[in-house]
Amino acid sequence: MMNARGNADWLGTGSRRHVSSAFRFSSALAVILMAIAPAFAENGASASAVERMSTPGHEADELARRVGKWSVVNTIWPTPGAQPIVMTGLVAERTMIGPFMQEVMRPAPGSKMPDFQRIAYLSYDWVEGRWKYVSMDTRFPAGIMPAWSFGGEEDGRFHSCSSRLVS
């Protein structure tokens, strides 16, 4: 709803002028920043935080080293302190999609394991400073399963991941 001066009435009478002034200021600032941004880029000024954080670092290199087809031994601990369940006869195909490693795991050809598919994504989150992982697995009725690390990588393992590279 607009009043006679063209200001929005939806925030109440006391804040109309403030909202209108703030909107005009932020709009003008946005136009100025868009106008001068190319000049900064041409002069070699530092990149924005988003650009710097979107540039692949050593974490992406670590993921890229894992691209390809792998034989996988999957180890699951159903409860703390329980004996692990070890599954062999699995293959995983890993590809990079931008900064994300996509993994599609299934039984190896000729395996006697029932057919399934697990799709997972792993990446490093620069904002939170940790690895993030999400997977969907047709063997489990758990839906989309997220996980994240509390640290980096050690001995070829990401701390939050349960599968280990064997090939």
Side-chain angles (χ1 to χ4, degrees):
M1 179 179 251
M2 303 294 268
N3 64 14
R5 298 179 84 178
N7 294 327
D9 245 352
W10 55 274
L11 287 177
T13 58
S15 59
R16 276 183 282 157
R17 179 172 288 252
H18 176 73
V19 170
S20 179
S21 297
F23 178 75
R24 283 187 204 127
F25 175 77
S26 62
S27 297
L29 182 60
V31 168
I32 291 168
L33 290 175
M34 286 189 296
I36 64 172
F40 279 114
E42 291 171 8
N43 292 331
S46 65
S48 72
V50 170
E51 290 169 325
R52 288 190 314 271
M53 294 176 85
S54 297
T55 303
H58 76 278
E59 293 85 1
D61 295 339
E62 289 297 318
L63 291 176
R65 289 185 358 189
R66 292 166 168 79
V67 166
K69 290 187 179 183
W70 294 80
S71 295
V72 177
V73 174
N74 192 223
T75 306
I76 298 173
W77 287 264
T79 60
Q83 289 295 332
I85 300 170
V86 178
M87 292 172 268
T88 59
L90 304 170
V91 293
E93 186 168 344
R94 297 177 175 134
T95 56
M96 293 298 292
I97 300 175
F100 301 95
M101 182 178 70
Q102 174 183 272
E103 175 186 78
V104 178
M105 185 185 298
R106 56 178 49 103
S111 169
K112 295 183 182 185
M113 181 174 283
D115 191 33
F116 77 94
Q117 188 173 21
R118 183 182 83 182
I119 301 171
Y121 294 91
L122 177 64
S123 70
Y124 188 77
D125 185 330
W126 279 91
V127 174
E128 295 182 14
R130 61 183 174 177
W131 292 96
K132 287 188 146 181
Y133 174 84
V134 63
S135 68
M136 300 167 282
D137 194 319
T138 60
R139 296 173 293 177
F140 306 110
I144 297 173
M145 299 175 281
W148 47 90
S149 71
F150 298 104
E153 176 188 355
E154 186 177 299
D155 298 328
R157 289 182 137 170
F158 297 106
H159 293 284
S160 63
C161 298
S162 60
S163 62
R164 183 171 183 201
L165 308 177
V166 293
S167 172

